[in-house]
Amino acid sequence: MTSTRQPIGIMDSGIGGLTVANAVFRLLPNEDYIYFADSIHIPYGDKTQEQIRQYCFEITEFFIQQNCKAVVLACNTATAAALEFLRETFPNMPFIGMEPAVKPAVSHTRSKTIGVLATAGTISSERYQSLTQRYAKGITVLQNPCTGLVPLIEAGKTKGAEVEALLQEVLTPMLKKKADTFVLGCTHYPFVRSVIESLLPEGATVIDPAPAIAKQVKKVLAEGGQLSKSTEKGNKEFFTSGDEKVLAWGVEVILG
Ligand code: DGL
């Protein structure tokens, strides 16, 4: 039996999922939350599907011990590797996953060319292939795994020469091919959104799917009759498998 006062579990390979958690907290402030950053296993982007499934399995067991009523995979890479597996393994737990916002980018582009920034794990997944095949007919989809960016962000580097050089290398070929709409297809990348925007020409658009995921969380809970009925602000707890200081920094940057 689930009750409306149970917490919602939100997980990511690290602090990236805080960018999604922030949107969920704003939309549903009276819920209780448990956030889990699996920073010891960062980056998920270069792990095998089996490894990621195992990590997500263990995190879900932790959320179940904590009496969570739903689990948000605030990680594109984990969703691509493990969402179906988790739904089969824990049929009574609602899971909300996420994938790069290709569909909104396709409706938005005028140059018919979009750039997707996502991890190697996401880009090579069947889920991503099927997403682009279904929604990006007649559109050129350029993608780049931004290799090395997630570890930089986890190390607290969100601006400066190193981040700029890495992103310049990612974005320049996309801009040469006339991409005008850019998808943040990894939940860590909103941490460097201002650098990305500084490298794009006026009129280019950056899409972060976090607000859409928050709406989806609300919808799933409403359908299951699981939305909190509390009129008071809920509790938030943050856990990490890695360095507490990294998590505290991420919470400070994203939640203030
Ligand atoms: N934040 C994750 C995502 O949305 C993955 C980062 C990583 O490679 O660990 O894809």
Side-chain angles (χ1 to χ4, degrees):
M1 273 294 283
T2 54
S3 99
T4 56
R5 276 319 306 248
Q6 294 174 260
I8 298 168
I10 304 182
M11 64 79 59
D12 178 43
S13 62
I15 55 174
L18 290 167
T19 62
V20 176
N22 189 30
V24 182
F25 296 164
R26 280 165 193 261
L27 188 66
L28 300 170
N30 300 340
E31 297 287 345
D32 295 329
Y33 295 96
I34 294 180
Y35 183 89
F36 189 89
D38 194 13
S39 292
I40 203 154
H41 295 126
I42 206 85
Y44 274 15
D46 59 15
K47 300 291 187 299
T48 65
Q49 189 180 62
E50 287 64 38
Q51 284 172 309
I52 296 171
R53 286 182 175 181
Q54 184 58 29
Y55 304 149
C56 291
F57 176 85
E58 286 167 20
I59 296 165
T60 302
E61 296 232 292
F62 167 71
F63 284 144
I64 290 170
Q65 276 163 20
Q66 300 291 318
N67 200 26
C68 288
K69 62 184 173 187
V71 173
V72 182
L73 300 182
C75 176
N76 297 266
T77 315
T79 301
L83 181 64
E84 299 313 323
F85 159 78
L86 292 169
R87 285 185 173 148
E88 277 164 28
T89 312
F90 301 97
N92 297 323
M93 178 64 84
F95 288 93
I96 296 97
M98 62 187 300
E99 54 196 13
V102 167
K103 209 173 151 189
V106 165
S107 343
H108 192 275
T109 178
R110 276 159 291 143
S111 63
K112 296 206 176 309
T113 307
I114 67 171
V116 178
L117 315 188
T119 69
T122 298
I123 291 171
S124 64
S125 70
E126 270 174 43
R127 199 181 172 92
Y128 179 72
Q129 300 305 326
S130 128
L131 183 71
T132 50
Q133 272 161 21
R134 267 179 299 146
Y135 297 116
K137 291 202 177 76
I139 299 288
T140 304
V141 183
L142 307 168
Q143 48 264 309
N144 191 299
C146 306
T147 306
L149 187 54
V150 168
L152 277 179
I153 294 167
E154 289 276 326
K157 291 185 190 158
T158 56
K159 35 185 167 333
E162 210 177 343
V163 173
E164 263 177 56
L166 192 153
L167 285 167
Q168 184 105 51
E169 216 167 288
V170 168
L171 296 171
T172 304
M174 293 180 170
L175 289 169
K176 276 200 185 128
K177 292 186 177 153
K178 304 270 179 277
D180 65 351
T181 307
F182 297 83
V183 174
L184 302 180
C186 167
T187 55
H188 279 75
Y189 299 167
F191 274 87
V192 293
R193 183 176 184 144
S194 61
V195 179
I196 293 173
E197 284 174 341
S198 75
L199 296 169
L200 296 178
E202 212 170 298
T205 302
V206 174
I207 300 182
D208 176 3
I213 304 308
K215 282 191 197 146
Q216 183 61 16
V217 173
K218 186 174 181 182
K219 184 168 174 257
V220 169
L221 291 178
E223 281 169 1
Q226 289 179 303
L227 279 173
S228 168
K229 294 187 178 59
S230 166
T231 51
E232 278 157 34
K233 216 167 167 219
N235 295 320
K236 299 179 186 75
E237 285 186 90
F238 299 90
F239 293 85
T240 178
S241 59
D243 188 339
E244 295 281 349
K245 282 197 261 356
V246 173
L247 178 62
W249 171 80
V251 170
E252 177 61 29
V253 170
I254 299 299
L255 306 178

